[in-house]
Amino acid sequence: MKFLCKQVAGKGDTTGKLVATEDNFSKKLQNIYTMKNRIYILLFAFVAIFTACKSTTAPLSLHWEFKQNDVESGICEAYLTLTNTGDKELTHGDWTLYFNLMSLHPIYTEGDALRETEIQASWHCIEPTQTFTPLAPGESQTFTLRYKGSAIRENICPEGFFLVNTKHSTLNPKPITIPCTYAPYTRPEQMKRGIVTWEKTPYADGEYVFDYVERVLGDKAIGRLGDEAKELQPLLPQPKQMIYADGVCEVAKAEVVVRTDANMVKEGYTMIISPDTIRIEASDEAGVFYAKQTLKQWGDTIPCGRVTDYPDLQHRGIMLDVVRNYYPVDSIYRILDMMAYHKLNVLHFHLSDDEAWRLEIPGLPQLTDIGSKRGYTTDESNCLLPMYCGGWDAEAPTTANGYITREKYIELLKYAGERHIRVIPEIDMPGHMRAAKKAMGKQLTDSAFDARVYKSAQNYTDNVIDVSKPYAVEFIDHVVTEIVKMHEEAGHPLTIFNIGGDEVPKGALTKEEHQAFIDAVLEILKRYNLQPMGWEEIDHFCQPESGAICYAWLNSESKPMQLAEAGYQVVIATASHLYFDFAYCNHHEEKGLSWGGYTDEYRSFDWQPAQHPNIIGMNAQLWGEVIRSFAQVEWQIYPKIYGLAERAWNNRSSLTLSEYNHLVYEELLPQLATSGRNFHIQQPGIRQVATENEQLQLDKSHVLIEMNKVMEGGELLYCLDDGEWKVYTNTIAIPATTQVVKAKVRYLGKESNTTWLWLNDKHDVKGQTVEKNTGATF
């Protein structure tokens, strides 16, 4: 830039010399004219350079194609194609490619042309080695990459690619975003793996889904409500009891009379409905609110009778993780509305973790100035590493960047409080604190502590703070104090504070260090009359007499009871049923994780949670690793949330599985579609029918295929091999030479994932027989 400016100035000086013989007046005019020209030229040069920098053409494009799982036991392979889209040859030592890749761990073999390195957690890079063949402009090369692990879903792929020019960094100081295209899964060896999941859930092919749908539909008998057989009412959660009377009530014309009675069950209510009056008796304002939600769900005209209702569990919540990937706090109002509509009463807000700090804390601006942003950095002095999909730009409006201001948080508290939803903030400690640690620098760590060797569950090697530093406790005290002030200002004083306490890696702290820190934190909470809460691991450091509430989250049926019998208050948060970030099923098009299984709308309903006087609630979790937009937040939550709402209110629900399915697909999802919310729909099943049926008079040239779906409405489509999509209405005869039948459902403006059924070869990887367990859910 300086060089260009000197050139422009020289041209301006030359122009000035050309008019030296003019009179003074002319000289003044010419000088003014010359100065304007200089300014215009300078501005033009600046704009040109700035525009060139902003619109730098990527010198490289990529194409990713997953090859196969289990090429060797526990090892998969993928193809990465590099195309030189620039005007210079790409050679060894020119560049480094950065990106994120979850769940797969690279394998490098000496002599490979590309070396992939797992730098930190999911943060990877690829560098060309000396065996890399120079890539000329316009040329492409395809490389095979090997990994430990399996990629059974299309979303397990690298993302957020950018290139750093290591040879000419002074000319290109900023990284360059590199575009990448992705090949869809089309082969069975991409979709399946030889080793089935921990709960023996096979790939969701046509036969598996068909059996699953049949179990969901059951006898299709829409049943009873309360003491009397009656048409199933469109209510969720279902009231405890409904005794019917003659007649109906038009809600808009009825007089609503409200009375509170403190002797009733907390949050409970009774409604006596006559043709012209609705009498509500409730324990408290929450009970009145829930009675009105029942009326809202019921609609304009409701049957007369008496409704008696109350919750079985006092804590009915969902945890939102805005840390791993951020979505604006204003969007969360949509979730609060739906929670209130279905009588959920706790928003557990996960506000800090290794990847970001998302809440403004007065007096500690660096927490959000640095800790709320992710991008390319060599020392993390201005932002954190670019985990997940954010790319290199820490100022870009992506899910990597953003935080909740104090003002916005207080507004959210007020909005939630009006709907009888308690907001419980979580600041995870002393592990999962990488963002705070990097933002606060040496105040929370030092070189001696950083020399400790450990690796967290997410593969971080530096995510624990030095709890022996006096400032560690002072820091927590400051954060708690400011959050307490926010709740007081909102008019909803804080009574519970979640300290996380989970997954502190072995080797990071001694037991004595850990215990001393937790004891100090408990003293801070005690000073503010705050009940401690955390994940189940806190039982190692918080005794029952501390009043600690433990979230039982690991896949153990016995853990909630163990904690409850030990004297802890327990919230059931079992991953295999209540982790909404898990994929809906073992299908290649599904998004989500699956380390603990799969969760769908049936999984959250179709179980009997443990019961004990100390088990006070249920909580679903939506972790943010897989989130890429708020639309996906809704897609992961709905319709899973309905199973949580029913089981948390009615721990022993009277609904059958088919009744519950009817409510979800015929009553609740149409409401979501009308309100513009995003949601997931169940894919259809496909199976081959035995051809012994003489009435169909089939010869060996054809086979019979039938399909099913969980919803009554919608359109079921199918195609053979790569042919055209057609509408399915009944059993069809197809050519026996057909390799694969595919089917999908269109319903309420949505389209399901595509179900595949391979006909001529079961395609089980390495000849292994996949266990068929029709009793298990996805």
Side-chain angles (χ1 to χ4, degrees):
M1 183 66 187
K2 288 182 180 179
F3 174 72
L4 287 175
C5 288
K6 288 180 180 178
Q7 279 192 317
V8 172
K11 288 180 181 178
D13 289 342
T14 302
T15 304
K17 291 176 183 177
L18 290 175
V19 295
T21 58
E22 301 288 338
D23 59 35
N24 290 338
F25 181 76
S26 298
K27 286 181 180 180
K28 290 180 181 179
L29 286 177
Q30 186 62 47
N31 286 340
I32 293 172
Y33 178 80
T34 302
M35 290 178 65
K36 284 184 177 180
N37 274 353
R38 290 177 180 174
I39 293 170
Y40 291 150
I41 293 171
L42 279 169
L43 287 173
F44 177 82
F46 177 82
V47 170
I49 294 168
F50 180 79
T51 302
C53 291
K54 295 292 284 186
S55 62
T56 300
T57 302
L60 189 67
S61 68
L62 308 171
H63 182 72
W64 169 272
E65 179 180 353
F66 185 66
K67 179 184 176 183
Q68 182 178 337
N69 286 304
D70 292 302
V71 292
E72 298 175 29
S73 180
I75 295 176
C76 64
E77 290 183 345
Y79 299 125
L80 183 66
T81 300
L82 279 61
T83 300
N84 187 338
T85 56
D87 57 4
K88 292 183 175 60
E89 185 179 68
L90 289 175
T91 64
H92 160 66
D94 277 356
W95 49 273
T96 301
L97 195 63
Y98 292 95
F99 57 97
N100 271 275
L101 177 60
M102 290 180 60
S103 305
L104 300 181
H105 309 286
I107 300 171
Y108 172 72
T109 302
E110 192 68 33
D112 287 350
L114 297 180
R115 182 197 299 269
E116 181 174 345
T117 304
E118 192 173 2
I119 304 170
Q120 177 85 287
S122 65
W123 178 227
H124 290 220
C125 75
I126 285 178
E127 298 172 287
T129 68
Q130 291 183 347
T131 62
F132 178 78
T133 302
L135 193 61
E139 287 187 347
S140 297
Q141 288 186 41
T142 298
F143 302 88
T144 299
L145 303 178
R146 290 168 61 84
Y147 298 93
K148 293 179 182 178
S150 296
I152 55 173
R153 284 183 298 283
E154 290 177 339
N155 73 319
I156 300 178
C157 60
E159 54 187 335
F161 285 100
F162 62 86
L163 182 144
V164 174
N165 190 321
T166 53
K167 192 172 184 180
H168 304 292
S169 59
T170 55
L171 298 181
N172 294 296
K174 287 187 177 181
I176 302 172
T177 299
I178 301 299
C180 183
T181 56
Y182 301 87
Y185 282 23
T186 57
R187 304 185 304 276
E189 65 267 23
Q190 296 172 306
M191 305 173 193
K192 299 186 178 184
R193 57 181 173 183
I195 302 172
V196 295
T197 63
W198 69 274
E199 58 172 3
K200 300 188 184 304
T201 304
Y203 175 76
D205 66 4
E207 291 180 346
Y208 180 79
V209 179
F210 193 98
D211 291 342
Y212 188 82
V213 171
E214 287 291 287
R215 191 176 77 84
V216 167
L217 295 178
D219 59 11
K220 296 188 179 181
I222 303 304
R224 68 256 163 247
L225 181 63
D227 295 338
E228 186 179 327
K230 193 79 172 180
E231 180 182 355
L232 184 68
Q233 299 298 323
L235 307 174
L236 194 137
Q238 290 277 288
K240 287 286 190 297
Q241 184 186 63
M242 173 98 188
I243 301 174
Y244 292 92
D246 293 335
V248 296
C249 171
E250 293 186 41
V251 177
K253 297 180 180 179
E255 179 186 8
V256 178
V257 180
V258 175
R259 186 177 75 86
T260 57
D261 180 356
N263 293 319
M264 295 177 66
V265 177
K266 187 178 180 181
E267 298 182 293
Y269 65 91
T270 296
M271 283 197 297
I272 301 173
I273 305 165
S274 63
D276 56 4
T277 306
I278 300 172
R279 297 184 182 277
I280 298 174
E281 294 185 1
S283 60
D284 48 26
E285 288 301 317
V288 174
F289 181 80
Y290 293 140
K292 292 181 178 179
Q293 296 309 302
T294 298
L295 292 175
K296 187 186 293 187
Q297 289 186 32
W298 225 325
D300 299 331
T301 303
I302 62 178
C304 291
R306 181 186 181 92
V307 176
T308 303
D309 202 13
Y310 54 87
D312 289 335
L313 298 173
Q314 69 185 58
H315 178 118
R316 307 177 301 280
I318 184 168
M319 185 220 71
L320 297 181
D321 168 15
V322 295
V323 178
R324 272 57 181 269
N325 282 292
Y326 183 72
Y327 37 96
V329 67
D330 290 347
S331 61
I332 296 173
Y333 292 134
R334 291 166 62 89
I335 296 175
L336 292 173
D337 288 340
M338 190 57 60
M339 289 175 64
Y341 190 64
H342 294 292
K343 305 181 176 70
L344 297 172
N345 67 348
V346 174
L347 172 62
H348 170 174
F349 221 172
H350 190 74
L351 296 168
S352 72
D353 213 301
D354 297 323
E355 296 84 2
W357 184 285
R358 299 298 190 192
L359 179 63
E360 178 187 15
I361 301 296
L364 299 175
Q366 57 271 59
L367 284 175
T368 46
D369 287 349
I370 299 171
S372 72
K373 301 183 294 185
R374 299 197 292 259
Y376 179 62
T377 173
T378 57
D379 59 7
E380 295 186 275
S381 60
N382 296 312
C383 65
L384 306 179
L385 292 176
M387 294 297 172
Y388 308 117
C389 62
W392 63 268
D393 190 352
E395 304 301 326
T398 69
T399 57
N401 307 319
Y403 67 92
I404 304 169
T405 65
R406 186 179 190 277
E407 180 183 8
K408 285 285 187 180
Y409 185 72
I410 291 171
E411 290 175 2
L412 183 76
L413 294 176
K414 292 178 179 178
Y415 192 89
E418 291 167 359
R419 288 152 182 78
H420 297 275
I421 296 172
R422 181 171 69 249
V423 177
I424 299 178
E426 180 190 352
I427 302 297
D428 209 344
M429 60 184 86
H432 284 286
M433 290 199 76
R434 191 176 188 278
K437 184 176 176 180
K438 294 298 178 180
M440 300 305 298
K442 296 302 180 183
Q443 295 181 84
L444 292 177
T445 191
D446 58 32
S447 57
F449 185 79
D450 287 342
R452 297 188 183 189
V453 178
Y454 60 86
K455 182 174 284 190
S456 76
Q458 290 75 29
N459 294 317
Y460 287 105
T461 58
D462 56 357
N463 75 333
V464 180
I465 62 170
D466 184 355
V467 298
S468 65
K469 281 182 170 289
Y471 184 72
V473 175
E474 294 174 19
F475 172 77
I476 299 302
D477 195 344
H478 186 116
V479 170
V480 171
T481 299
E482 291 300 328
I483 293 177
V484 166
K485 289 179 182 178
M486 295 181 211
H487 281 256
E488 289 177 345
E489 189 170 327
H492 297 281
L494 193 60
T495 58
I496 298 173
F497 195 96
N498 195 311
I499 63 172
D502 62 316
E503 298 183 329
V504 178
K506 184 178 180 180
L509 300 174
T510 67
K511 186 173 181 180
E512 292 73 22
E513 288 173 333
H514 197 157
Q515 185 66 66
F517 175 75
I518 294 298
D519 288 344
V521 171
L522 292 178
E523 285 299 315
I524 295 170
L525 301 186
K526 186 177 180 180
R527 193 169 77 241
Y528 288 109
N529 296 315
L530 297 175
Q531 188 174 9
M533 173 184 276
W535 305 101
E536 65 184 56
E537 294 96 319
I538 67 169
D539 69 334
H540 299 303
F541 300 97
C542 299
Q543 297 305 310
E545 51 267 27
S546 69
I549 302 172
C550 293
Y551 272 45
W553 66 276
L554 286 168
N555 286 334
S556 169
E557 296 294 331
S558 60
K559 189 64 174 182
M561 291 296 290
Q562 290 174 3
L563 291 168
E565 290 175 356
Y568 293 99
Q569 289 187 308
V570 179
V571 173
I572 294 176
T574 310
S576 56
H577 293 271
L578 294 172
Y579 269 39
F580 287 1
D581 57 299
F582 283 1
Y584 276 81
C585 66
N586 187 2
H587 185 274
H588 65 279
E589 290 180 332
E590 284 293 347
K591 301 175 179 64
L593 303 179
S594 59
W595 58 263
Y598 300 90
T599 58
D600 63 8
E601 60 270 40
Y602 308 110
R603 191 74 171 162
S604 59
F605 168 79
D606 191 25
W607 66 314
Q608 181 53 62
Q611 294 179 311
H612 188 282
N614 282 341
I615 294 178
I616 63 170
M618 290 174 63
N619 209 88
Q621 283 62 239
L622 182 63
W623 296 104
E625 290 96 332
V626 300
I627 299 302
R628 300 296 178 264
S629 66
F630 185 72
Q632 191 184 343
V633 170
E634 293 187 321
W635 191 87
Q636 296 286 155
I637 288 177
Y638 306 124
K640 297 180 186 183
I641 198 171
Y642 299 132
L644 167 69
E646 176 63 20
R647 282 294 176 192
W649 188 272
N650 297 310
N651 204 239
R652 292 189 179 275
S653 176
S654 64
L655 286 174
T656 66
L657 187 58
S658 60
E659 289 170 344
Y660 167 77
N661 178 71
H662 176 85
L663 284 175
V664 169
Y665 277 92
E666 312 310 323
E667 301 288 349
L668 301 174
L669 289 188
Q671 294 175 20
L672 287 183
T674 300
S675 64
R677 285 173 168 82
N678 196 22
F679 53 89
H680 178 280
I681 60 173
Q682 181 67 267
Q683 65 194 74
I686 317 169
R687 73 177 178 185
Q688 183 176 340
V689 183
T691 58
E692 287 80 8
N693 190 332
E694 295 180 0
Q695 293 180 342
L696 295 171
Q697 298 179 346
L698 291 174
D699 57 29
K700 292 183 179 180
S701 65
H702 286 77
V703 294
L704 288 178
I705 295 294
E706 65 177 340
M707 306 178 190
N708 62 3
K709 55 185 173 66
V710 296
M711 63 286 292
E712 296 172 17
E715 189 175 49
L716 208 168
L717 305 173
Y718 75 95
C719 79
L720 309 181
D721 295 328
D722 292 322
E724 64 176 314
W725 287 91
K726 299 179 181 179
V727 176
Y728 173 87
T729 55
N730 210 333
T731 304
I732 57 173
I734 66 172
T737 56
T738 303
Q739 294 294 310
V740 62
V741 182
K742 291 178 275 189
K744 59 185 176 182
V745 175
R746 285 178 183 159
Y747 184 58
L748 301 174
K750 303 289 182 185
E751 199 167 272
S752 74
N753 289 331
T754 299
T755 305
W756 295 55
L757 178 66
W758 292 275
L759 294 179
N760 296 320
D761 185 352
K762 293 301 181 185
H763 293 292
D764 293 334
V765 177
K766 296 187 181 297
Q768 297 186 36
T769 300
V770 177
E771 178 177 338
K772 193 162 190 173
N773 181 0
T774 58
T777 60
F778 282 163

